[in-house]
Amino acid sequence: MITSRLDQAGPPWFGAVMGTGIVAVATTSFPVPVPGLRVVGTVLWLLAAALLVALGVLVVRAGAARRRRGDRPDPSDLPFLGAPGLGMLTVGAGAVELGPGLLGEPAAAALSWTLWSSGTVVVLVVAVWVPFCWISRPGSATDPAPAWIMPVVGPMVAAADGALLIGHTPGPAAASTMLLVCVALFGLGVVSALALLPRVLARLGTAGLALADTPTVVIVLGPFGQSVTAANLLAGQAQGLLSEPFAGVAIGAGLLYGAPAWGFAVGWTVLSAVLIGHALRRGMPFSASWWAVTFPFGTLVTGTNALAARTALPPVVGAAVVLFAVLVLVWMVVAAATVRSALSDVADEIGPARRSVRA
């Protein structure tokens, strides 16, 4: 039955919320004026918000169904437990950037604060809970695949999205406190990711990935693209909150960190594209892992937009335009494949039912 398909919904599918939301957020920092781009971003943000609600209901329902059957949680879902929180953070970032035109600034800011607070709690709990499970349960951490990065990249996303809310805090003291909180979240995400990446890269170099999991190789981009975005957003917010020379140092740090991190991210993007193309030629099937491409690559786009805004250098602006165009194309391909797969599942379920009724 179709309901049995829905009962299999799990956290990895929140990648659809994250991927759709990051395209919407990227439209708000696009360095070249494009008529109608904000309208497109708003539509995508509303779609991401609708997906967040729908998937939240489906995942809760699926979890309840599995508990009734006595099924054990799927260990492969463990790294993705933070995906719902990341979805909240992404939709929350869209709320403060795109929501005022629809909801008014106070309501949009309130919605963004609610989603940021809830999402940050989720990703912080997961950032502690998942490593605890790996350490306390022998054998649960034997496969350091790229998906491992998901639990530790959450605080970095919270730092970047929180930077957007600093201007919506009541007074300088609260704004400075929020800046400090976001910098701490940034540090937690960066240090955790750098500690984990060597094991992930070593595993990729020795064991590779299963064919269906190939798209998850793009997750390695997440810490780099998101940290470039966060570093430059936080540096911008430091202006007016920090005295000199600290405000100037923050701007310099954003650029000095952002440029080499961006360089690695671009190189990894090229490698990921080659690996995914090779997997497609070998018959890689569609799965939720395809959505793993959109959000990490989207963070590279937002990071490039941030560098373009900071430097105004024509090559950086050109790179931002090209990468955004590729992001939109990738999102369209993955979204179309998702719709096609869903329709195929529905047809597979309805066809036998109709034949049995006629018989």
Side-chain angles (χ1 to χ4, degrees), residues 114-264:
T114 300
L115 290 171
W116 181 83
S117 302
S118 303
T120 299
V121 169
V122 171
V123 298
L124 287 177
V125 169
V126 170
V128 174
W129 174 251
V130 172
F132 168 77
C133 291
W134 286 336
I135 294 170
S136 64
R137 300 174 185 174
S140 64
T142 58
D143 186 24
W148 276 33
I149 296 172
M150 287 282 289
V152 301
V153 79
M156 206 180 299
V157 176
D161 294 353
L164 300 174
L165 288 169
I166 291 176
H168 297 272
T169 51
S176 298
T177 301
M178 184 65 173
L179 177 64
L180 179 62
V181 169
C182 290
V183 171
L185 289 169
F186 173 83
L188 173 60
V190 168
V191 173
S192 300
L194 291 178
L196 191 56
L197 275 172
R199 290 198 64 190
V200 173
L201 297 179
R203 192 267 185 184
L204 288 174
T206 56
L209 281 170
L211 186 64
D213 294 333
T214 303
T216 62
V217 72
V218 187
I219 294 176
V220 174
L221 281 180
F224 293 92
Q226 194 64 50
S227 63
V228 173
T229 305
N232 284 279
L233 287 177
L234 291 170
Q237 294 293 346
Q239 308 305 298
L241 292 177
L242 300 181
S243 59
E244 294 295 346
F246 301 108
V249 168
I251 294 293
L255 290 175
L256 290 175
Y257 171 82
W262 183 85
F264 175 85

Side-chain angles (χ1 to χ4, degrees), residues 81 89 343:
L81 290 181
L89 290 170
L343 292 176

